[in-house]
Amino acid sequence: METELTEFERQMRREINSFMHNEQQARRKAATQPPEWPADDATPAKPQRSKPAGAPKTGHVVKLAVRTKQLEMDTVFEHISSSISKVEAQLEAEKAARKAGYPIIGYVIETTRL
């Protein structure tokens, strides 16, 4: 009877020790590595953007009739402004047209919001 009891105690100590050893290894692993989360395949996809990624989100597109010479046909000059003011966007477009080499600015063809 006593041998069975000592054998049972030894067996229990081995199982407890192995359990404690495995638990300590799991703690070490958890402390050194980030948790591994299951990948969600059911995440909703982002909707498609109507504008390219680098495009400004607000502003105006201004089209001007410009010329390099006095008796020349009008050329369309398009400028994208980030200004929310229509008048300020037109002034920016005129400055950009002059900087691009069009000294004569005829009139504003169209101004559209982005």
Side-chain angles (χ1 to χ4, degrees), residues 53-65:
K57 296 178 182 175
T58 60
H60 289 85
V61 177
V62 181
K63 293 182 182 178
L64 301 173

PDB file of all heavy atoms in Angstrom, residues 53-65:
ATOM      1  N   ALA A  53      -4.756  59.538 -55.430  1.00  0.00           N
ATOM      2  CA  ALA A  53      -4.329  59.731 -54.049  1.00  0.00           C
ATOM      3  C   ALA A  53      -3.643  61.070 -53.825  1.00  0.00           C
ATOM      4  O   ALA A  53      -3.766  61.664 -52.772  1.00  0.00           O
ATOM      5  CB  ALA A  53      -3.397  58.598 -53.634  1.00  0.00           C
ATOM      6  N   GLY A  54      -2.909  61.590 -54.782  1.00  0.00           N
ATOM      7  CA  GLY A  54      -2.183  62.834 -54.598  1.00  0.00           C
ATOM      8  C   GLY A  54      -2.986  64.085 -54.921  1.00  0.00           C
ATOM      9  O   GLY A  54      -2.499  65.196 -54.766  1.00  0.00           O
ATOM     10  N   ALA A  55      -4.215  63.927 -55.351  1.00  0.00           N
ATOM     11  CA  ALA A  55      -5.022  65.071 -55.763  1.00  0.00           C
ATOM     12  C   ALA A  55      -5.504  65.850 -54.543  1.00  0.00           C
ATOM     13  O   ALA A  55      -5.783  65.273 -53.503  1.00  0.00           O
ATOM     14  CB  ALA A  55      -6.229  64.599 -56.572  1.00  0.00           C
ATOM     15  N   PRO A  56      -5.596  67.191 -54.681  1.00  0.00           N
ATOM     16  CA  PRO A  56      -6.113  67.975 -53.557  1.00  0.00           C
ATOM     17  C   PRO A  56      -7.589  67.658 -53.309  1.00  0.00           C
ATOM     18  O   PRO A  56      -8.337  67.341 -54.232  1.00  0.00           O
ATOM     19  CB  PRO A  56      -5.928  69.426 -54.013  1.00  0.00           C
ATOM     20  CG  PRO A  56      -5.688  69.381 -55.467  1.00  0.00           C
ATOM     21  CD  PRO A  56      -5.174  68.023 -55.799  1.00  0.00           C
ATOM     22  N   LYS A  57      -8.010  67.748 -52.060  1.00  0.00           N
ATOM     23  CA  LYS A  57      -9.380  67.388 -51.708  1.00  0.00           C
ATOM     24  C   LYS A  57     -10.348  68.539 -51.899  1.00  0.00           C
ATOM     25  O   LYS A  57     -11.534  68.344 -52.075  1.00  0.00           O
ATOM     26  CB  LYS A  57      -9.420  66.907 -50.263  1.00  0.00           C
ATOM     27  CG  LYS A  57      -8.629  65.634 -50.065  1.00  0.00           C
ATOM     28  CD  LYS A  57      -8.649  65.203 -48.638  1.00  0.00           C
ATOM     29  CE  LYS A  57      -7.805  63.953 -48.476  1.00  0.00           C
ATOM     30  NZ  LYS A  57      -7.667  63.538 -47.118  1.00  0.00           N
ATOM     31  N   THR A  58      -9.851  69.771 -51.812  1.00  0.00           N
ATOM     32  CA  THR A  58     -10.708  70.936 -52.015  1.00  0.00           C
ATOM     33  C   THR A  58     -10.039  71.871 -53.001  1.00  0.00           C
ATOM     34  O   THR A  58      -8.850  71.784 -53.231  1.00  0.00           O
ATOM     35  CB  THR A  58     -10.942  71.696 -50.702  1.00  0.00           C
ATOM     36  OG1 THR A  58      -9.679  72.127 -50.205  1.00  0.00           O
ATOM     37  CG2 THR A  58     -11.635  70.836 -49.673  1.00  0.00           C
ATOM     38  N   GLY A  59     -10.810  72.786 -53.534  1.00  0.00           N
ATOM     39  CA  GLY A  59     -10.225  73.765 -54.441  1.00  0.00           C
ATOM     40  C   GLY A  59     -11.039  73.917 -55.709  1.00  0.00           C
ATOM     41  O   GLY A  59     -12.193  73.514 -55.787  1.00  0.00           O
ATOM     42  N   HIS A  60     -10.384  74.530 -56.711  1.00  0.00           N
ATOM     43  CA  HIS A  60     -11.035  74.807 -57.992  1.00  0.00           C
ATOM     44  C   HIS A  60     -10.098  74.465 -59.148  1.00  0.00           C
ATOM     45  O   HIS A  60      -8.879  74.550 -59.018  1.00  0.00           O
ATOM     46  CB  HIS A  60     -11.394  76.295 -58.093  1.00  0.00           C
ATOM     47  CG  HIS A  60     -12.504  76.703 -57.198  1.00  0.00           C
ATOM     48  ND1 HIS A  60     -12.326  77.061 -55.892  1.00  0.00           N
ATOM     49  CD2 HIS A  60     -13.841  76.816 -57.438  1.00  0.00           C
ATOM     50  CE1 HIS A  60     -13.476  77.384 -55.359  1.00  0.00           C
ATOM     51  NE2 HIS A  60     -14.425  77.240 -56.281  1.00  0.00           N
ATOM     52  N   VAL A  61     -10.699  74.117 -60.274  1.00  0.00           N
ATOM     53  CA  VAL A  61      -9.983  73.976 -61.536  1.00  0.00           C
ATOM     54  C   VAL A  61     -10.390  75.175 -62.383  1.00  0.00           C
ATOM     55  O   VAL A  61     -11.575  75.385 -62.652  1.00  0.00           O
ATOM     56  CB  VAL A  61     -10.344  72.663 -62.264  1.00  0.00           C
ATOM     57  CG1 VAL A  61      -9.635  72.591 -63.607  1.00  0.00           C
ATOM     58  CG2 VAL A  61      -9.997  71.466 -61.419  1.00  0.00           C
ATOM     59  N   VAL A  62      -9.388  75.981 -62.753  1.00  0.00           N
ATOM     60  CA  VAL A  62      -9.657  77.213 -63.498  1.00  0.00           C
ATOM     61  C   VAL A  62      -9.080  77.058 -64.905  1.00  0.00           C
ATOM     62  O   VAL A  62      -7.919  76.692 -65.062  1.00  0.00           O
ATOM     63  CB  VAL A  62      -9.022  78.435 -62.795  1.00  0.00           C
ATOM     64  CG1 VAL A  62      -9.326  79.703 -63.561  1.00  0.00           C
ATOM     65  CG2 VAL A  62      -9.501  78.540 -61.365  1.00  0.00           C
ATOM     66  N   LYS A  63      -9.911  77.322 -65.913  1.00  0.00           N
ATOM     67  CA  LYS A  63      -9.462  77.299 -67.307  1.00  0.00           C
ATOM     68  C   LYS A  63      -9.472  78.729 -67.831  1.00  0.00           C
ATOM     69  O   LYS A  63     -10.498  79.408 -67.744  1.00  0.00           O
ATOM     70  CB  LYS A  63     -10.364  76.413 -68.158  1.00  0.00           C
ATOM     71  CG  LYS A  63     -10.263  74.950 -67.804  1.00  0.00           C
ATOM     72  CD  LYS A  63     -11.127  74.098 -68.696  1.00  0.00           C
ATOM     73  CE  LYS A  63     -11.056  72.644 -68.283  1.00  0.00           C
ATOM     74  NZ  LYS A  63     -11.922  71.808 -69.103  1.00  0.00           N
ATOM     75  N   LEU A  64      -8.321  79.148 -68.344  1.00  0.00           N
ATOM     76  CA  LEU A  64      -8.173  80.506 -68.866  1.00  0.00           C
ATOM     77  C   LEU A  64      -7.892  80.477 -70.363  1.00  0.00           C
ATOM     78  O   LEU A  64      -7.272  79.542 -70.859  1.00  0.00           O
ATOM     79  CB  LEU A  64      -7.005  81.217 -68.172  1.00  0.00           C
ATOM     80  CG  LEU A  64      -7.062  81.379 -66.662  1.00  0.00           C
ATOM     81  CD1 LEU A  64      -5.739  81.948 -66.167  1.00  0.00           C
ATOM     82  CD2 LEU A  64      -8.195  82.291 -66.276  1.00  0.00           C
ATOM     83  N   ALA A  65      -8.312  81.524 -71.061  1.00  0.00           N
ATOM     84  CA  ALA A  65      -7.941  81.724 -72.463  1.00  0.00           C
ATOM     85  C   ALA A  65      -6.708  82.623 -72.454  1.00  0.00           C
ATOM     86  O   ALA A  65      -6.759  83.757 -71.978  1.00  0.00           O
ATOM     87  CB  ALA A  65      -9.077  82.375 -73.230  1.00  0.00           C
TER      88      ALA A  65
END
